[in-house]
Amino acid sequence: NAGVMQNPRHLVRRRGQEARLRCSPMKGHSHVYWYRQLPEEGLKFMVYLQKENIIDESGMPKERFSAEFPKEGPSILRIQQVVRGDSAAYFCASSKDRPNTDTQYFGPGTRLTVL
Amino acid sequence: GESVGLHLPTLSVQEGDNSIINCAYSNSASDYFIWYKQESGKGPQFIIDIRSNMDKRQGQRVTVLLNKTVKHLSLQIAATQPGDSAVYFCAENGGNAGNMLTFGGGTRLMVKP
């Protein structure tokens, strides 16, 4: 049973470009979460999605960031017009059931570097 | 705001000794807690979890203790090995209304051979 998969593992973008991060949840999991981690810090919640629905985006910056989890295919975290402050590790997690009842399992992360 | 925090940022132990990593939480509604291990360059790896109706849970070489009275969580690792070297995070789910995990700042465990 494959774990949570994320790609790319490393992504380099210049300021002003777009970054697209992909996440495929564990088999049988329909709840997806995105977290951001700065060096030497804990993970900060960004957004929680179920298939075709954004459930909670309270941790998402108001501009330039968006997320989706389509009926078919992986969840996508999209960052438009990236700035240097967007450089971080972005982790996706998934769970089988609702977040307050089930464990979240994390992917290996995408490390975004903005030049 | 409510938060989860850790007492010690770095813990250095001798191989073979037991390790204890502590965590304090402030959200009294929290009812589910998880410990994660994160090695350099990797994602958080689930270690063990505990629900608020329990005060102790044991896994393989690990034990989690929950003291709801003082809102304190600890992770005990028996016979610590070099492979245990990592950053350990506690996380809580914010109770029934929680849609996210709130992570503490992390404790770096260094195992000396």
Side-chain angles (χ1 to χ4, degrees):
Chain A
N1 186 14
V4 177
M5 299 176 68
Q6 291 186 249
N7 68 84
R9 295 292 307 277
H10 299 274
L11 182 61
V12 179
R13 285 286 178 266
R14 296 190 180 280
R15 281 180 296 170
Q17 291 184 320
E18 179 179 288
R20 281 189 181 228
L21 288 61
R22 288 175 289 276
C23 168
S24 296
M26 286 179 69
K27 186 177 180 181
H29 287 193
S30 60
H31 302 257
V32 167
Y33 318 81
W34 285 92
Y35 292 84
R36 172 168 144 164
Q37 185 179 37
L38 296 173
E40 300 296 308
E41 292 189 8
L43 284 77
K44 303 295 184 189
F45 169 79
M46 298 181 74
V47 62
Y48 160 41
L49 311 100
Q50 287 184 268
K51 283 288 187 181
E52 301 184 274
N53 289 302
I54 297 174
I55 308 301
D56 184 340
E57 55 181 348
S58 58
M60 286 277 271
K62 293 289 184 271
E63 299 177 347
R64 301 189 297 108
F65 284 72
S66 62
E68 63 177 10
F69 189 16
K71 187 176 181 181
E72 301 291 336
S75 175
I76 305 289
L77 179 67
R78 182 184 179 201
I79 311 173
Q80 295 178 288
Q81 300 174 351
V82 295
V83 301
R84 288 215 173 111
D86 296 332
S87 295
Y90 292 84
F91 290 96
C92 170
S94 73
S95 67
K96 189 173 183 180
D97 293 316
R98 292 167 56 232
N100 58 326
T101 62
D102 198 17
T103 304
Q104 295 180 24
Y105 294 91
F106 284 82
T110 294
R111 278 144 189 88
L112 173 65
T113 301
V114 180
L115 302 177
Chain B
E2 303 280 18
S3 65
V4 176
L6 295 174
H7 296 305
L8 300 174
T10 304
L11 178 64
S12 184
V13 300
Q14 205 69 39
E15 182 179 358
D17 288 351
N18 296 334
S19 303
I20 300 176
I21 300 173
N22 296 303
C23 178
Y25 66 95
S26 56
N27 187 344
S28 56
S30 296
D31 58 8
Y32 182 48
F33 305 87
I34 309 171
W35 279 101
Y36 287 94
K37 171 187 179 183
Q38 188 175 26
E39 296 174 278
S40 181
K42 297 184 178 180
Q45 176 188 356
F46 171 84
I47 301 174
I48 193 168
D49 59 1
I50 189 167
R51 298 193 184 274
S52 58
N53 60 349
M54 303 172 68
D55 54 20
K56 180 179 180 179
R57 191 166 187 220
Q58 288 184 292
Q60 188 176 15
R61 282 201 307 118
V62 295
T63 301
V64 55
L65 298 177
L66 175 63
N67 185 331
K68 295 181 286 293
T69 301
V70 296
K71 297 178 188 171
H72 185 267
L73 194 69
S74 68
L75 177 70
Q76 300 178 3
I77 304 174
T80 312
Q81 302 170 359
D84 295 327
S85 294
V87 177
Y88 290 80
F89 293 98
C90 64
E92 53 92 8
N93 75 337
N96 288 329
N99 279 327
M100 67 191 81
L101 291 177
T102 300
F103 282 79
T107 292
R108 184 177 303 279
L109 176 65
M110 300 175 62
V111 182
K112 296 178 290 186

